[in-house]
Amino acid sequence: MSRRRHSPNDEEISAFRQALQEAGVRQIKNDLADPGRPKRERDAQAARRQAAVKSESQITTGRTSDGRVEAVRPSEYLEFSVNDLPYRTFSQLKRGQTPWQAGLDLHGYTLEEARTELESFLTDAAAQHLHCVLVVHGKAWGATADFPVLKSHTNAWLREWPGVLAFCSAVDADGGTGAVYVLLRKRGR
């Protein structure tokens, strides 16, 4: 059984249009959606664009942010891994079974000095083809903050660093929640 589509004739089309007109239906003149909110002003948009360009030119050469970070508690366990890291690899890192090959102690550094030191350390570790390193950030609260500043920033910086596959708080023998093991990406991967 075949179904044939009905093609309306001129009389039917005319009757349909007449019915629409009598019902008060108007033809759409614009095919853009109205989101129901006012359009942005061009001046405000230009000002935002200028501010963004200006802020990009003031960015330091480092790869990590120096902005606000999420505060962590002194005894909080830190952990992070990329999505495709094998469970076994991350599990071994968390148990302290992945030997670390170099370490960095950030005690005594200002926030900016610590950021610079960490970036330099991670760059050098990658150049030396190191697979796992230890970063001691401590748990001390900042003089002007009510949270461990270096620990909180280290947590954020390591998440941003492109060569970091995973990191987690160290076992007690290596510093506990005052240090992290950092698993680095191997070259060519």
Side-chain angles (χ1 to χ4, degrees):
M1 189 189 288
S2 68
R3 292 187 180 186
R4 297 180 80 194
R5 184 174 174 182
H6 174 71
S7 297
N9 59 29
D10 290 340
E11 189 176 302
E12 290 173 324
I13 293 173
S14 179
F16 178 72
R17 287 188 177 150
Q18 181 69 28
L20 289 175
Q21 189 174 18
E22 289 172 4
V25 175
R26 294 176 293 149
Q27 183 176 1
I28 297 175
K29 292 182 173 46
N30 188 346
D31 65 350
L32 299 177
D34 180 13
R37 58 181 181 251
K39 293 181 180 178
R40 291 182 173 176
E41 296 177 21
R42 296 262 187 233
D43 295 337
Q45 192 174 13
R48 280 192 303 277
R49 182 173 289 126
Q50 275 184 329
V53 168
K54 184 177 179 182
S55 69
E56 283 178 7
S57 65
Q58 295 175 345
I59 292 176
T60 60
T61 58
R63 299 178 103 169
T64 56
S65 71
D66 56 356
R68 297 182 57 157
V69 297
E70 182 180 335
V72 297
R73 294 183 315 278
S75 60
E76 186 172 339
Y77 185 87
L78 301 180
E79 70 177 15
F80 163 82
S81 73
V82 294
N83 291 336
D84 58 347
L85 185 72
Y87 171 79
R88 183 176 183 175
T89 303
F90 192 45
S91 180
Q92 288 174 336
L93 184 71
K94 290 187 341 185
R95 288 194 306 265
Q97 295 175 340
T98 305
W100 52 277
Q101 300 147 312
L104 171 67
D105 188 351
L106 296 175
H107 284 104
Y109 288 112
T110 65
L111 188 60
E112 189 56 37
E113 290 171 342
R115 183 169 76 107
T116 304
E117 285 296 316
L118 181 62
E119 289 178 354
S120 176
F121 177 69
L122 293 174
T123 301
D124 292 345
Q128 295 174 27
H129 307 289
L130 302 182
H131 184 57
C132 183
V133 295
L134 178 74
V135 176
V136 180
H137 47 68
K139 300 189 267 189
W141 291 29
T144 59
D146 58 349
F147 61 93
V149 176
L150 285 180
K151 180 175 183 172
S152 298
H153 278 80
T154 299
N155 182 37
W157 294 333
L158 290 174
R159 291 172 191 269
E160 296 172 354
W161 194 261
V164 172
L165 291 175
F167 67 86
C168 64
S169 291
V171 297
D172 289 338
D174 288 329
T177 56
V180 287
Y181 298 123
V182 182
L183 192 65
L184 300 173
R185 188 176 308 277
K186 292 182 182 177
R187 289 232 174 192
R189 287 181 63 188

